[in-house]
Amino acid sequence: MYKGLAIIFGFLFLGEIVENLGVPVPGSVLGMLFLTFALITGIVKVKDVEKEGEFLVRNMSVMFIPPGVGIILYLNLLRQNLIPITVALVLSFLITLFITGKTVEVLRK
């Protein structure tokens, strides 16, 4: 279990390093992309990180507690900007839904 966690957090750390070099993408996203590339190319075997990945996905709800607490802290700010935030959420949802649908259409051809 420690090997898989070390691999996952190692790629997260690598992503953070690359972000600090000036890449305008969050380090966690970069780390995930690096790990995905390593899995596709066979540098990292799926069996090495499979159990740890499943464990993290099963307990993902725990990771939403800090953002939830943050939302409660800024509740007044959210109330003041309710309409712009709602419009942004709905638009981003519709754009994501459209792009996902078109991507699936292209990939299924």
Side-chain angles (χ1 to χ4, degrees):
M1 176 141 188
Y2 297 116
K3 179 182 176 185
L5 285 176
I7 291 170
I8 290 171
F9 286 112
F11 276 99
L12 175 64
F13 183 67
L14 179 65
E16 294 292 332
I17 290 172
V18 172
E19 180 190 9
N20 285 331
L21 294 175
V23 177
V25 178
S28 57
V29 173
L30 289 171
M32 186 173 59
L33 291 173
F34 293 149
L35 179 58
T36 302
F37 178 75
L39 287 168
I40 290 172
T41 58
I43 296 170
V44 174
K45 306 286 185 226
V46 173
K47 67 177 183 167
D48 291 337
V49 293
E50 189 172 17
K51 285 183 182 177
E52 294 77 12
E54 289 175 358
F55 172 79
L56 291 172
V57 169
R58 272 195 313 264
N59 297 297
M60 188 181 293
S61 60
V62 174
M63 298 175 203
F64 286 101
I65 292 173
V69 171
I71 288 173
I72 291 171
L73 286 175
Y74 295 104
L75 206 52
N76 286 334
L77 185 63
L78 291 173
R79 281 187 190 138
Q80 293 170 354
N81 299 303
L82 185 64
I83 292 174
I85 291 171
T86 303
V87 169
L89 286 173
V90 170
L91 282 177
S92 64
F93 169 75
L94 293 175
I95 291 169
T96 302
L97 188 65
F98 176 77
I99 291 174
T100 303
K102 288 298 178 187
T103 303
V104 170
E105 272 183 17
V106 169
L107 292 175
R108 293 190 92 192
K109 287 184 180 177

